[in-house]
Amino acid sequence: AIYCVGGTVDTQDQGLSIAAMYWNKHRDIPVVAALRGTINHGYCGFEFCRDWLISHEVSLHKIVPVDILSEDKDTVNTYTEGKALLHHACVNGWKKIIVCAPYFHQIRASSTFISLLDRQNPELWIFNLPGHPQWMGRFKHSQGVVEGDLFELLISEFGRLFQYHNKGDIRSCRELLAYYDRRDREFLS
């Protein structure tokens, strides 16, 4: 599956664009998924993503919603989005997910999702496909609260990696790199 990480109106097209481009080159990928949970907290919503993907030649029947879990409906963020994604993947038997996100958000989003993997779904492999960097302009991110240019948002995301690692939500660099090593050995052997 291809998964488009949720974003604001300012940033969502970065993940959608790379997802549509990849799907149009690899039409054998069964689904292109996006979060359906809210249009609050700065998120642009599933309908925005669906309509954008359709307008960029992704087949409607290939676009699926990933529903936010009921216990997280009031707190939508990258962590709760990851919980919803992994639940959906487990229920639907997905084995590989290509995560598409804005360039500046890719590392934290995929690190969060990988950190949520546990012994119940070790066969799930996450791959990264970052959007093209947008060098010009300022963008709202993180529930529409954080704003900055590409460099400022990258610095903010690195700070959040450390903050959420200290909180216990993101694994250590060593553990994340070990996951990538295992994944790469699996697919390169």
Side-chain angles (χ1 to χ4, degrees), residues 177-189:
L177 290 172
Y179 171 84
Y180 285 121
D181 286 343
R182 280 192 318 276
R183 184 203 66 191
D184 291 350
R185 278 194 304 274
E186 175 78 18
F187 286 93
L188 295 176
S189 59

Side-chain angles (χ1 to χ4, degrees), residues 24-177:
N24 279 297
K25 288 182 181 176
H26 305 276
R27 291 180 181 245
D28 58 331
I29 295 174
V31 297
V32 179
L35 182 67
R36 178 171 62 189
T38 186
I39 56 171
N40 298 322
H41 313 292
Y43 286 92
C44 61
F46 175 75
E47 290 76 14
F48 176 95
C49 295
R50 180 199 60 213
D51 295 347
W52 197 101
L53 289 165
I54 291 168
S55 73
H56 289 78
E57 301 179 13
V58 176
S59 302
L60 173 62
H61 71 279
K62 296 286 187 172
I63 303 169
V64 299
V66 170
D67 291 313
I68 198 77
L69 301 175
S70 59
E71 69 261 20
D72 295 327
K73 66 180 179 188
D74 295 327
T75 310
V76 179
N77 55 45
T78 304
Y79 184 81
T80 58
E81 180 178 6
K83 287 173 50 182
L85 173 61
L86 297 184
H87 174 78
H88 189 93
C90 187
V91 167
N92 290 283
W94 294 356
K95 300 296 182 199
K96 293 178 232 153
I97 301 172
I98 300 165
V99 174
C100 299
Y103 181 82
F104 66 86
H105 187 46
Q106 183 73 43
I107 293 172
R108 183 167 66 91
S110 60
S111 295
T112 301
F113 300 166
I114 291 167
S115 296
L116 286 164
L117 294 172
D118 58 28
R119 289 179 175 83
Q120 302 303 316
N121 50 8
E123 72 283 352
L124 182 59
W125 299 111
I126 292 176
F127 296 86
N128 295 302
L129 190 59
H132 298 294
Q134 304 234 342
W135 300 106
M136 305 300 287
R138 296 183 67 75
F139 309 97
K140 287 188 178 180
H141 175 58
S142 191
Q143 294 87 28
V145 175
V146 176
E147 183 177 346
D149 62 22
L150 176 65
F151 181 72
E152 291 167 327
L153 292 175
L154 272 170
I155 296 300
S156 171
E157 289 292 289
F158 286 129
R160 287 169 181 237
L161 276 169
F162 290 108
Q163 175 187 352
Y164 296 136
H165 168 69
N166 290 337
K167 185 179 169 188
D169 290 344
I170 293 181
R171 293 181 185 178
S172 70
C173 289
R174 181 179 315 223
E175 292 171 295
L176 292 168
L177 290 172

